[in-house]
Amino acid sequence: MARIPMIAGNWKMNTTVEDAVRLVTTMLPELDKVGGVDKVVCPPFVSLAAVKEIIEGSTIKLGAQNVFYKEKGAFTGEISAQMLAGLCEYVIIGHSERRQYFGDSEEIIDMKIKAAVENMLKPIFCIGESLEENEAGRTEEVLTRQCMASCDRLYFFGGLVIAYEPVWAIGTGKSATSEQANKTIGFIRQLIHHRHSGEIADNVRILYGGSVTAANIAELMKMPEIDGALVGGASLKADDFLSIAQQASEIRGVS
Ligand code: PEP
């Protein structure tokens, strides 16, 4: 069975509720028509409810950008998986900005994944090497650790999405080449094959993320291992995000 590509927009800490409503309202009519690709928008927590209302009944899906691993209690400022469960389908976990600025360790990421899965949220699990690790030739070692250390349970959960995001390509305008991304994503799939099974490896969707734009998505989508993109900056521009989704659909859409 062919893997359905996914184009997911990570809006990060951008957009007020008003901006988010405007952005999704602008995208909606055309994005809704794009077939054969899962289209996901991930606005900030405070805009989830408003965006949910607007996309209700459309083909656009909703994701959160983070989740806390505890169910409830005295954790001021945090949002639990239980709270998100009624609101969205996906949740980004392990983004490099969370790892870098908020201390999300492998252990914490694992607990977040567990909480998400227990609440029927589908994780978009981010992994990727830093520039230093890349230059030291340690990419495969880092990805093996990130992939294997903490998330065995994930592979038995249908709908898992992995996003390979080399840290040096995020927000820098310096995307990995499509060949580089294809090779590394192929490596991740092999890891899953060896650790689990060929069937799980064949079914898991692995996205590329890092300076994806309307100008480079076509090259990326032509690569057999790349199942879509996690898009940061370009997901904040309605026309660009739409074009990215349309091109993904034309090249690899699954009917
Ligand atoms: C991201 O934040 O996941 C990302 C890939 O950002 P950008 O597309 O801006 O590099």
Side-chain angles (χ1 to χ4, degrees):
M1 218 170 60
R3 297 183 293 268
I4 299 172
M6 173 183 283
I7 299 296
N10 173 13
W11 295 3
K12 309 196 188 190
M13 197 177 74
N14 295 295
T15 67
T16 62
V17 177
E18 235 181 18
D19 296 335
V21 164
R22 198 176 311 119
L23 179 57
V24 79
T25 306
T26 309
M27 286 176 184
L28 181 74
E30 290 307 313
L31 193 59
D32 189 28
K33 293 182 200 153
V34 177
V37 175
D38 280 342
K39 301 146 295 182
V40 184
V41 291
C42 304
F45 284 135
V46 291
S47 297
L48 283 172
V51 171
K52 177 180 170 15
E53 219 177 291
I54 294 166
I55 62 176
E56 202 86 67
S58 78
T59 56
I60 301 164
K61 299 176 181 189
L62 191 59
Q65 297 175 19
N66 183 36
V67 64
F68 192 53
Y69 51 81
K70 294 280 190 183
E71 224 177 88
K72 59 181 167 183
F75 302 102
T76 303
E78 291 296 335
I79 305 287
S80 73
Q82 242 179 5
M83 295 171 185
L84 292 177
L87 269 179
C88 57
E89 184 173 344
Y90 290 94
V91 57
I92 298 172
I93 297 180
H95 193 282
S96 64
E97 286 152 16
R98 300 281 333 164
R99 294 177 192 254
Q100 188 179 349
Y101 303 127
F102 302 99
D104 280 16
S105 62
E106 307 287 354
E107 199 190 348
I108 288 172
I109 290 166
D110 184 40
M111 291 192 284
K112 291 184 171 190
I113 287 168
K114 183 169 182 286
V117 169
E118 283 173 357
N119 285 279
M120 308 305 286
L121 291 165
K122 298 174 184 165
I124 299 176
F125 171 53
C126 301
I127 57 175
E129 82 286 2
S130 68
L131 182 63
E132 301 84 76
E133 289 162 342
N134 182 281
E135 286 176 350
R138 293 180 49 220
T139 298
E140 294 191 352
E141 172 205 322
V142 170
L143 295 176
T144 304
R145 191 192 68 232
Q146 291 177 336
C147 226
M148 297 302 161
S150 61
C151 63
D152 273 3
R153 64 173 63 83
L154 272 176
Y155 305 123
F156 301 100
F157 173 73
L160 167 66
V161 179
I162 293 178
Y164 166 58
E165 301 205 306
V167 180
W168 46 271
I170 297 179
T172 59
K174 189 182 165 211
S175 170
T177 65
S178 49
E179 287 80 13
Q180 269 174 329
N182 189 62
K183 182 166 172 266
T184 309
I185 288 177
F187 169 78
I188 297 167
R189 207 178 295 287
Q190 278 307 308
L191 271 181
I192 296 168
H193 184 139
H194 292 310
R195 177 80 169 211
H196 297 283
S197 72
E199 197 193 336
I200 291 172
D202 283 345
N203 286 327
V204 65
R205 287 185 287 184
I206 312 182
L207 317 182
Y208 166 75
S211 299
V212 171
T213 64
N216 62 18
I217 187 67
E219 284 314 306
L220 292 161
M221 291 309 299
K222 283 178 196 156
M223 295 289 154
E225 295 288 357
I226 303 177
D227 299 320
L230 181 55
V231 185
S235 71
L236 293 166
K237 296 176 204 131
D239 287 350
D240 290 14
F241 192 64
L242 176 64
S243 170
I244 290 169
Q246 283 169 334
Q247 293 181 62
S249 166
E250 276 157 29
I251 297 166
R252 287 271 296 282
V254 172
S255 43

